[in-house]
Amino acid sequence: MAGGGGASEPAPQIAIAGVTHIYRPPRGREVLALDGISLEVRHREFVALLGPSGCGKSTLLYLIGGFLPIERGTIAVAGKPVTGPGRDRGITFQNFALFPWKTVRANILYGLEKLGLPPAERTTRAQALIDLVGLQGFEDSYPAQLSGGMKQRTAIARMLAHEPDILLMDEPFGALDAQTRSLMQAELLDIWRRTPKTVVFVTHDVQEAVYLAERVVVLSARPGRVKAVVETRFDRADPGLLKSPAFVDKVDEIWHLVRAEAIAAQRASAP
Ligand SMILES: Nc1ncnc2c1ncn2[C@@H]1O[C@H](COP(=O)(O)OP(=O)(O)O)[C@@H](O)[C@H]1O
Ligand SMILES: [Mg+2]
């Protein structure tokens, strides 16, 4: 095949090349968080990021989102270098940052404000998103009145509001009970199938990563490097998938990769 991305091989939706990130806190030592990350995510691909706590998963999402300066290496989205946040990318933060002084509805409406829609359409869309994430009846509640799972669902609705092509999700289902989590996973897969979205999904749950993603990227203990990229395409319509030997083996294979890094991370932080 000819190089340079011919018509048969479209440019990747997200192209990360040689990205290194150093935090420089005003006090204390510099932290090398990411070291030479290169990764390409195809249009409409669903990629999961796994790795031990502190390996730089959130940092990588912030960089793709344009919230942190890219000092070394490059990140391009749809062929254009990332220079800041943009409407093409939606993000849910690990602590599901909602505006505490706004209700559920107002938090979601915020995501719709910059679209220039007539107010009536905004209200309709906000309600559709509220229904989608199952928050009917809580429209007028404030974040402090919500459970962790409900805050998370509000954050997901707000992320979806402006219909970004790219969803950057930082441990979005971590705070949910098993039942809600499974419903939200199905909902996310449904959104991903129905609309042309590219997803980068951070989780610490290996089974969730293998179930949702088409490829799982395992990062090493800090500084985060790409340790392994594993194909994880399964037939999610198969009701017996989670118990099938192929699926269980894949979870086991990736679990071992992650575990080795978690042990390395623990050693590094031991006194
Ligand atoms: N603002 C910051 N200043 C200094 N160090 C930071 C800052 N944010 C994160 N770090 C450090 O960078 C590393 C990567 O953090 P993070 O991306 O949050 O990891 P993960 O999401 O994989 O748990 C961690 O060691 C963390 O302590
Ligand atoms: Mg994180």
Side-chain angles (χ1 to χ4, degrees):
M1 176 174 295
S8 60
E9 189 136 344
Q13 179 82 338
I14 305 172
I16 303 165
V19 166
T20 290
H21 191 81
I22 300 167
Y23 284 104
R24 295 184 183 84
R27 250 164 272 193
R29 278 198 286 169
E30 292 187 345
V31 178
L32 176 60
L34 294 172
D35 186 18
I37 299 282
S38 295
L39 179 69
E40 292 191 343
V41 182
R42 294 186 298 273
H43 181 59
R44 300 197 76 157
E45 191 179 16
F46 197 130
V47 166
L49 288 181
L50 275 173
S53 178
C55 77
K57 303 180 294 296
S58 295
T59 303
L60 188 54
L61 277 201
Y62 303 156
L63 288 164
I64 300 169
F67 296 100
L68 285 175
I70 300 161
E71 292 174 343
R72 210 174 310 159
T74 56
I75 300 182
V77 167
K80 291 199 204 85
V82 168
T83 54
R87 272 207 0 227
D88 54 346
R89 285 151 287 148
I91 190 162
T92 60
F93 295 103
Q94 197 168 352
N95 53 9
F96 26 85
L98 296 172
F99 299 117
W101 61 90
K102 286 183 191 268
T103 63
V104 165
R105 184 190 297 145
N107 263 283
I108 295 168
L109 278 168
Y110 177 83
L112 290 163
E113 265 166 22
K114 294 184 193 77
L115 290 185
L117 300 170
E121 192 175 329
R122 260 188 262 169
T123 310
T124 313
R125 270 227 226 166
Q127 194 58 50
L129 287 159
I130 286 162
D131 295 348
L132 177 73
V133 298
L135 283 171
Q136 304 93 320
F138 294 91
E139 290 87 345
D140 300 315
S141 301
Y142 288 90
Q145 300 172 288
L146 303 175
S147 69
M150 288 171 149
K151 285 185 213 169
Q152 193 60 292
R153 285 186 270 161
T154 307
I156 288 167
R158 194 179 59 182
M159 169 190 72
L160 294 171
H162 58 90
E163 301 189 338
D165 295 335
I166 297 175
L167 307 183
L168 305 170
M169 305 181 78
D170 200 352
E171 306 201 17
F173 305 149
L176 305 183
D177 61 87
Q179 187 78 25
T180 314
R181 186 183 183 112
S182 145
L183 287 173
M184 291 301 296
Q185 286 174 342
E187 206 56 70
L188 175 63
L189 284 176
D190 201 42
I191 290 164
W192 174 65
R193 273 192 218 105
R194 283 196 324 252
T195 57
K197 301 221 185 283
T198 305
V199 184
V200 183
F201 187 100
V202 172
T203 177
H204 56 254
D205 182 330
V206 178
Q207 194 193 45
E208 178 174 68
V210 176
Y211 175 65
L212 292 176
E214 301 175 287
R215 272 196 306 158
V216 169
V217 176
V218 179
L219 297 181
S220 68
R222 197 184 74 209
R225 301 187 178 104
V226 175
K227 174 180 168 119
V229 180
V230 185
E231 293 278 340
T232 50
R233 278 168 190 269
F234 290 96
D235 175 15
R236 299 188 194 88
D238 171 6
L241 174 64
L242 299 190
K243 293 198 173 93
S244 74
F247 183 87
V248 172
D249 285 355
K250 191 61 86 178
V251 170
D252 202 47
E253 173 194 336
I254 295 175
W255 191 81
H256 277 95
L257 291 168
V258 177
R259 187 168 181 273
E261 293 309 316
I263 291 169
Q266 247 175 17
R267 283 215 190 96
S269 66

